[in-house]
Amino acid sequence: RSWPIDVYRAWAATAWVATALPMSVAPYLRSPLPSCSILLDRHTHKNAGSTMRSIYRDNDLQVLWGYNPASMAEASLSLLHLLLEARRGGNCTLRTPLRLVMEHHYSRTADWDAVVARYGPHTPLQRVAGGCGCRVVLFTRVREP
């Protein structure tokens, strides 16, 4: 799926009630899944994107993908809003687990710089997420040419 902005607005408003992920642990897992994690997967074209997307879904992660860093900027604001709303009660409790992986297909360094500016280690999203026990992890997949 591409990243329509309305998905994030609806998600922030409902805290994923419509697409709640199971709380039970799958039999092949050794430990419970985190209640909140946001992964940003940067990779080149022809780098097992469809295979990884399938693996993510098999591991109870909601997968969103796109090419546009502007969509990721909008998503970061929605995620920040969602976590701030959860924190408002004092305990950062989400009604349903937030386990999200965002695939970012890239070709330019400037695109990733924009992503790091929104999700990187010194951002408001990282600070609020960390205070709520939610990990935000950025990683890059590479392959031989």
Side-chain angles (χ1 to χ4, degrees):
R1 276 186 291 178
S2 185
W3 298 9
I5 301 306
D6 290 341
V7 169
Y8 294 104
R9 289 190 181 120
W11 172 39
T14 63
W16 273 21
V17 170
T19 58
L21 298 172
M23 288 299 291
S24 61
V25 177
Y28 50 83
L29 296 176
R30 294 179 184 252
S31 61
L33 294 169
S35 62
C36 184
S37 60
I38 302 165
L39 308 174
L40 281 90
D41 173 5
R42 176 187 189 212
H43 63 88
T44 59
H45 304 287
K46 308 313 270 176
N47 194 0
S50 298
T51 300
M52 290 303 298
R53 197 172 308 122
S54 175
I55 291 169
Y56 294 144
R57 287 188 176 127
D58 287 347
N59 285 280
D60 296 325
L61 288 162
Q62 180 68 26
V63 180
L64 302 169
W65 63 273
Y67 297 90
N68 185 353
S71 296
M72 292 187 79
E74 181 74 20
S76 73
L77 293 175
S78 294
L79 289 165
L80 182 60
H81 176 73
L82 177 71
L83 292 169
L84 285 170
E85 286 296 314
R87 193 172 77 172
R88 185 176 290 182
N91 60 2
C92 290
T93 302
L94 296 168
R95 288 186 277 174
T96 58
L98 172 59
R99 292 190 292 269
L100 174 68
V101 63
M102 298 177 182
E103 280 186 74
H104 176 65
H105 300 256
Y106 77 99
S107 58
R108 297 181 301 161
T109 302
D111 289 350
W112 190 244
D113 290 344
V115 170
V116 171
R118 294 291 185 156
Y119 295 88
H122 304 292
T123 60
L125 179 62
Q126 283 277 6
R127 284 192 299 277
V128 172
C132 288
C134 185
R135 294 194 60 190
V136 181
V137 179
L138 289 71
F139 63 97
T140 301
R141 277 190 285 131
V142 295
R143 67 173 175 86
E144 290 187 41

